[in-house]
Amino acid sequence: MNRFRRMFSRNRMTADLSEEMRQHLDEKIEALVATGMPREEAIHAARRAFGNATLTEQRSREVWMWPWVEDLWADVKFALRQLRKSPGFTVTVILTLALGIGANTAIFSLTYAILLQSLPVANPNRLVRYTFSDGSMDIGQSGSSYDELRRRVRVADLMAWGTAPLTRTSKDSVKEIHRALMSGNGFAVLQLQPYIGRSFGEQDDVPGGGPHGYQALLGYDYWKSAFQKDPNVLGRTLTINGRAVTIIGVLPQNFGSVNRGQTTDIVLPLAFDEVIHPRHPRRHAPNFMWLTVLGRLHAGESLQSAKSDLAAIAPQVREAADPTHIFLDGFFKPFQYGVSEGRMGRSDLATTYRQPLLVLELLAGLLLALCCANLALLLLARSSARSHEFAVRSALGASRGTLFGHVLLEVLLLGCAGVLGGLLLGWLLAHSLVALLADGATAMRIDVAPNLVVFGGTAAAALLTAVVAGLFPAILASRTMPAMDLKQAQTATKKIGGTWIVSIQITLSLVLTASAFWLGSTFLHLFLKNSGFQPQHVVFSEFNALDTKIPPAQVAQEKKEILARVEHTPGIQAATWMSVPPLEGDYSRSSFVARDQHGAVHLNMEIWPEWVTAEYFAALGTRILEGRGFTQQDNGAGAVCVLSASAAARFFPGEDALGKAIYSASGDLAEEMAKSFDPENACRVIGIAEDAHFSSLKAAPEQSVYKLIQSDKTSALGMTLVVRAADTASAIREIRNIAHNVSPTSAAPQTSLFTEMVDASLRQERLLVRLSMGFSALALLLTGVGMFGILARRVTERTREIGIRMAFGAPRSAVLHMILFSTGVQVSIGLVLGTVCAVYAGRTMHGLLYGTNAGSLWIYLDSVAAIVLICMLAVFIPARRAASIDPMQALRAE
């Protein structure tokens, strides 16, 4: 403790020590003078007797405190002074590090938030998730499956979480809110405590909500925005989907949902589904896969024991969940029950972005390696300029370890500054990436705020980069030979080299540039691809009815009136209702069967069914290749349909499908229906339409069947209105006005442009191409700057040699060839290595490419051309300077 206190009174104690030593010296001098010795001689004699005062003072200070602390602080101050003397170098190094670290911080923040971060609940590692998957798609659990799993699973307590359309009515407005339903035991399983208030329990998760009605918890962000964090909100009543619910609590601040990327405005018991879907409740239905099922393992149980337990009960669960065998043994037959880690909840974002994020991590790592190489070149150049300084310090007694430590300390200080700059830049870039991912999506919640994991990773990467880059220059500085370096105008880097770093830069730049070209080509192919639609001037409007208990006939009448009014609005070219909008990630499949002219039966259980009204093809812009589309006259004229070109070829290979019939089938009964061809299921083909992409632009176009729905049955149709209009902004206003006038108890429709939906479907590709292009541009810039610096240094080092050569008659072209030859060798080596590495990088990202491949010769040629162009620009000024050296001036300066 005394040493610790002395650290804060060091100046006073040092002054006291000096004063005390002066007093002792004065007393000795006076004593010698008193013996008759002359004062001048007495002073010298006293000093000889006292010894080295400075050394004595230093040893006294070492007793007071730790010597290494004082030495380190002195070295830090010296390093800061040296960096302050070279502001251009310091700023350049910090910016280089900040760019590389910032890119890695942003990508790692996003990767951690999507792929690695646990749910903000107690003991998340004890959670497991029960899945229903075919190996490539995880669609969640049905209510009946959840009930059976919870009844039979022995190793864990299970809870269910689902989303549903909810609207809140307040005064005269109706607004759609982000919503979730949770089983009554959900808070106990998650061990989640409300921010304020209390949670509902199993006694509240019953039809009607129990004796006190339905109770709800608000999301923290919704409580903050809609209620200004009013603690008196508890006990208030909200009207949700026409039913009064009581607010009993607020969710924790950092909890959004058990589904990664979603946010929640309000959480209600699972039984509230009876209010949302009164005619077709999903709560216990075997054919609605809408629930995320999590379990908390009992003490002593593990993931492996949960898997063993599920394997033993899966057949009984399947049987009890769907006794009819129509659904789980029909279309869902390939899907199997499974169990996996549940600490991250359910994340469709992880499924979608796992490979893109891993590729971006690889590219960001390559960029950081390039920054490391560029930093090494900068440090080598600085060591060259300071070779005389190192020689002088060495001649004055500085050890090799001291020189090595001083250079490395400067690098570490630069690394610390790079960490701060990288964190700030990475935080800004990470939020931009989240905004890019959320473009066109709803309720996107990804927490990329810096945390200990991200900060630790960033700091470790920055300091490791700085140390790796500064190790070689530090070693060169410690190998200074004073006798030679003070006598000769030579640099340490000239003796040992460093031009090999150029090859590393070229290699890394070529990989990054080729990756950017691949991903850019993929995006361009998808952007220009014919989707089967004409998205310009098309508006989609999603309707959500508030009172779902109104009779189907009234729903059909309202939809018919909305469509009629919209069609008669000036500026509207076409309007239609459709069941499933395209490019929104929805999944729709049905079974159809047909018999060709030879009697062969063709069954297809992978048909995309689309129920539409008459003006569908005019509104969406899908071309009719043969026959015709739907008209108003087809209403009531029997079941008619239009096939996509691929569906027509599948049902009637080599034949004309017009006028023939197809028949709907269902599940395992498809074969029996194929034999009977029940006329009740028949649909006459009146047209062939071009293939269209409903689920994804990257996937093959769906084989589609378009069926005309009668106007009195549109209550069963999806609530999506599609309008084609010359002025989309005016059309959106008219749609909202008409919807409010016809159905004032419904929320305002959610409108979006079709072009926005197409752009949203390319979010993944846009993210990849923007970042890869940015990384590539930065890589080319760093490579050009690095090559320029090393060539300029080489010309400076060889000025005397060039002067002698030119004095003996060497032409300027020979000098130019001498300077460029070694650089050309390094560039060639880098291009060869870069091509090999780019081949492996292309194979890594093969699954992300479309319309191009990793073996595309043009991609490599374009990448090499970009590298060569940057190299030519970088070597122009140094080469011109070398060729213009005046030999007499060079020799005179030498």
Side-chain angles (χ1 to χ4, degrees):
M1 291 302 298
N2 287 334
R3 290 187 175 186
F4 183 76
R5 284 194 296 267
R6 287 166 184 165
M7 292 177 63
F8 299 97
S9 57
R10 176 173 169 274
N11 293 335
R12 179 181 60 79
M13 295 181 64
T14 300
D16 291 344
L17 176 63
S18 299
E19 177 63 22
E20 183 178 357
M21 291 175 62
R22 188 187 63 78
Q23 290 177 1
H24 282 292
L25 190 61
D26 289 345
E27 289 177 359
K28 183 66 176 177
I29 293 172
E30 294 300 328
L32 292 175
V33 170
T35 61
M37 184 180 294
R39 177 169 291 277
E40 188 68 26
E41 185 177 342
I43 292 175
H44 290 293
R47 288 180 176 176
R48 284 194 301 271
F50 195 86
N52 191 328
T54 303
L55 182 61
T56 302
E57 186 174 347
Q58 179 177 343
R59 288 173 177 172
S60 299
R61 289 200 303 268
E62 290 176 358
V63 175
W64 298 343
M65 59 185 299
W66 299 284
W68 64 268
V69 174
E70 187 173 5
D71 293 342
L72 178 61
W73 177 238
D75 289 343
V76 169
K77 291 192 294 183
F78 177 75
L80 290 174
R81 287 197 302 271
Q82 292 296 106
L83 294 176
R84 189 175 57 187
K85 290 179 181 179
S86 305
F89 165 81
T90 303
V91 172
T92 302
V93 170
I94 292 176
L95 285 178
T96 301
L97 273 174
L99 289 172
I101 296 300
N104 279 268
T105 300
I107 301 302
F108 180 66
S109 297
L110 195 61
T111 301
Y112 179 78
I114 293 179
L115 302 182
L116 302 175
Q117 193 172 36
S118 300
L119 291 174
V121 299
N123 301 312
N125 291 330
R126 302 295 298 167
L127 294 178
V128 292
R129 186 165 72 90
Y130 286 79
T131 61
F132 193 57
S133 171
D134 65 349
S136 60
M137 184 189 313
D138 179 12
I139 58 176
Q141 302 280 0
S142 66
S144 61
S145 294
Y146 163 66
D147 293 335
E148 287 302 316
L149 284 169
R150 189 183 180 198
R151 188 170 68 87
R152 296 176 182 272
V153 167
R154 300 187 301 274
V155 300
D157 294 326
L158 269 60
M159 56 83 64
W161 176 285
T163 58
L166 297 179
T167 52
R168 176 192 170 192
T169 304
S170 57
K171 295 182 180 180
D172 297 330
S173 65
V174 181
K175 296 181 179 180
E176 186 171 358
I177 57 177
H178 305 316
R179 63 282 180 192
L181 304 182
M182 184 167 64
S183 58
N185 67 331
F187 287 95
V189 171
L190 294 176
Q191 297 182 2
L192 193 66
Q193 298 298 322
Y195 184 79
I196 59 171
R198 62 180 180 87
S199 58
F200 53 73
E202 293 192 65
Q203 71 277 6
D204 304 305
D205 188 16
V206 294
H212 302 291
Y214 283 112
Q215 300 174 340
L217 279 84
L218 301 178
Y220 182 88
D221 291 339
Y222 188 62
W223 176 53
K224 179 180 178 180
S225 61
F227 299 95
Q228 291 73 50
K229 299 177 66 173
D230 181 7
N232 297 321
V233 73
L234 301 181
R236 289 178 55 179
T237 299
L238 300 181
T239 303
I240 305 297
N241 280 48
R243 178 70 68 90
V245 301
T246 303
I247 301 173
I248 61 172
V250 176
L251 293 173
Q253 182 175 359
N254 57 351
F255 182 84
S257 171
V258 301
N259 294 336
R260 182 75 65 191
Q262 293 183 359
T263 188
T264 303
D265 291 340
I266 189 169
V267 176
L268 290 158
L270 208 59
F272 196 78
D273 179 70
E274 68 167 357
V275 178
I276 304 171
H277 302 98
R279 291 192 296 272
H280 304 286
R282 302 183 300 172
R283 173 62 185 86
H284 303 286
N287 59 326
F288 289 100
M289 310 300 174
W290 65 298
L291 295 177
T292 297
V293 176
L294 296 178
R296 183 172 289 276
L297 295 171
H298 298 316
E301 303 292 350
S302 64
L303 178 61
Q304 188 58 45
S305 61
K307 291 181 178 179
S308 301
D309 179 55
L310 180 63
I313 65 174
Q316 295 90 331
V317 171
R318 198 177 194 101
E319 175 69 25
D322 182 20
T324 65
H325 295 199
I326 293 178
F327 303 107
L328 297 187
D329 288 339
F331 175 76
F332 296 112
K333 189 172 184 177
F335 289 77
Q336 302 296 325
Y337 293 104
V339 111
S340 62
E341 288 186 351
R343 66 179 183 84
M344 296 190 301
R346 178 179 177 179
S347 179
D348 293 332
L349 286 173
T351 303
T352 303
Y353 289 102
R354 181 180 301 276
Q355 187 179 9
L357 285 175
L358 294 179
V359 168
L360 287 176
E361 284 284 359
L362 175 62
L363 297 181
L366 292 177
L367 180 64
L368 184 59
L370 184 60
C371 290
C372 181
N374 205 66
L375 182 58
L377 285 178
L378 290 171
L379 293 173
L380 283 171
R382 179 170 170 80
S383 295
S384 290
R386 298 176 65 187
S387 60
H388 188 266
E389 172 198 338
F390 294 145
V392 171
R393 291 173 61 187
S394 179
L396 293 178
S399 65
R400 290 191 173 188
T402 300
L403 295 177
F404 178 88
H406 283 180
V407 174
L408 205 57
L409 182 59
E410 290 182 14
V411 174
L412 289 176
L413 291 175
L414 292 171
C416 292
V419 167
L420 299 178
L423 280 175
L424 177 60
L425 182 61
W427 181 77
L428 296 174
L429 181 57
H431 280 78
S432 299
L433 296 181
V434 172
L436 182 62
L437 291 181
D439 182 25
T442 58
M444 180 68 71
R445 180 191 178 99
I446 302 176
D447 183 14
V448 291
N451 52 55
L452 290 178
V453 175
V454 174
F455 179 80
T458 298
L463 296 180
L464 180 62
T465 299
V467 169
V468 170
L471 198 57
F472 187 46
I475 292 174
L476 295 183
S478 67
R479 291 182 177 178
T480 296
M481 293 179 287
M484 180 179 296
D485 291 342
L486 289 175
K487 195 181 300 181
Q488 300 179 4
Q490 305 238 355
T491 62
T493 51
K494 182 181 176 183
K495 302 170 187 174
I496 301 182
T499 55
W500 49 271
I501 299 178
V502 172
S503 298
I504 296 177
Q505 287 186 312
I506 296 296
T507 300
L508 297 175
S509 296
L510 183 57
V511 174
L512 289 169
T513 304
S515 300
F517 277 125
W518 280 321
L519 297 172
S521 177
T522 293
F523 178 78
L524 190 62
H525 276 91
L526 291 173
F527 185 76
L528 299 178
K529 183 178 182 179
N530 178 21
S531 62
F533 307 104
Q534 296 178 17
Q536 291 77 18
H537 306 293
V538 176
V539 177
F540 279 77
S541 298
E542 299 280 349
F543 285 74
N544 184 19
L546 172 61
D547 186 0
T548 53
K549 292 186 177 180
I550 61 177
Q554 182 178 343
V555 175
Q557 181 59 36
E558 287 183 355
K559 295 176 72 173
K560 181 180 179 180
E561 185 174 352
I562 289 174
L563 182 62
R565 292 193 183 187
V566 169
E567 287 178 330
H568 289 86
T569 299
I572 301 298
Q573 300 169 359
T576 183
W577 290 102
M578 68 180 300
S579 56
V580 183
L583 302 179
E584 286 196 341
D586 292 321
Y587 187 82
S588 180
R589 290 293 185 270
S590 188
S591 301
F592 286 86
V593 66
R595 179 183 292 148
D596 63 21
Q597 62 184 2
H598 302 293
V601 175
H602 300 279
L603 173 65
N604 191 344
M605 300 179 67
E606 295 292 322
I607 288 293
W608 181 286
E610 194 67 58
W611 294 89
V612 300
T613 54
E615 296 297 320
Y616 170 83
F617 295 102
L620 273 294
T622 303
R623 294 178 299 136
I624 297 295
L625 305 179
E626 298 181 41
R628 62 178 180 84
F630 301 118
T631 64
Q632 296 293 346
Q633 288 71 30
D634 291 320
N635 283 305
V640 294
C641 62
V642 173
L643 303 181
S644 66
S646 57
R650 172 70 180 271
F651 287 124
F652 306 101
E655 302 177 16
D656 185 2
L658 296 179
K660 293 184 171 64
I662 62 171
Y663 302 82
S664 61
S666 176
D668 277 355
L669 304 178
E671 293 291 348
E672 288 74 10
M673 286 190 173
K675 298 176 183 177
S676 62
F677 289 95
D678 188 350
E680 292 293 328
N681 297 317
C683 180
R684 180 170 56 89
V685 180
I686 63 172
I688 308 297
E690 66 177 321
D691 287 333
H693 294 262
F694 281 92
S695 59
S696 170
L697 290 175
K698 294 184 71 172
E702 284 74 15
Q703 298 180 30
S704 308
V705 173
Y706 304 92
K707 301 191 73 173
L708 181 66
I709 191 167
Q710 306 300 320
S711 59
D712 60 341
K713 297 181 180 180
T714 54
S715 59
L717 190 63
M719 303 287 283
T720 303
L721 179 68
V722 186
V723 172
R724 178 174 292 276
D727 185 354
T728 53
S730 176
I732 290 174
R733 289 194 299 270
E734 293 297 331
I735 291 171
R736 289 175 176 171
N737 291 334
I738 292 172
H740 178 72
N741 293 332
V742 174
S743 182
T745 60
S746 296
Q750 301 294 318
T751 59
S752 58
L753 300 179
F754 197 1
T755 51
E756 295 175 345
M757 296 168 61
V758 173
D759 289 342
S761 70
L762 296 176
R763 284 195 302 270
Q764 173 181 302
E765 289 73 22
R766 184 177 292 104
L767 172 70
L768 286 169
V769 72
R770 286 185 179 179
L771 288 180
S772 63
M773 288 291 184
F775 291 168
S776 175
L778 187 57
L780 293 175
L781 176 62
L782 292 175
T783 299
V785 171
M787 181 170 290
F788 173 82
I790 200 168
L791 276 178
R793 181 161 54 88
R794 184 177 300 165
V795 170
T796 301
E797 293 170 354
R798 304 182 68 176
T799 298
R800 180 173 181 271
E801 176 190 350
I802 293 172
I804 293 175
R805 287 176 178 271
M806 297 183 70
F808 279 94
R812 295 186 183 275
S813 58
V815 173
L816 197 61
H817 178 269
M818 178 187 68
I819 293 297
L820 296 180
F821 178 75
S822 59
T823 303
V825 171
Q826 299 297 329
V827 171
S828 300
I829 293 174
L831 291 176
V832 172
L833 293 176
T835 302
V836 174
C837 294
V839 171
Y840 286 99
R843 293 176 180 176
T844 301
M845 61 179 65
H846 175 73
L848 300 175
L849 304 182
Y850 178 86
T852 185
N853 58 74
S856 174
L857 179 61
W858 290 107
I859 295 294
Y860 291 109
L861 293 178
D862 290 341
S863 303
V864 170
I867 298 292
V868 171
L869 178 61
I870 290 297
C871 292
M872 292 175 63
L873 293 175
V875 304
F876 175 75
I877 295 178
R880 182 179 178 183
R881 177 188 167 195
S884 61
I885 288 177
D886 186 341
M888 296 307 297
Q889 289 184 0
L891 294 176
R892 187 181 300 116
E894 183 63 23

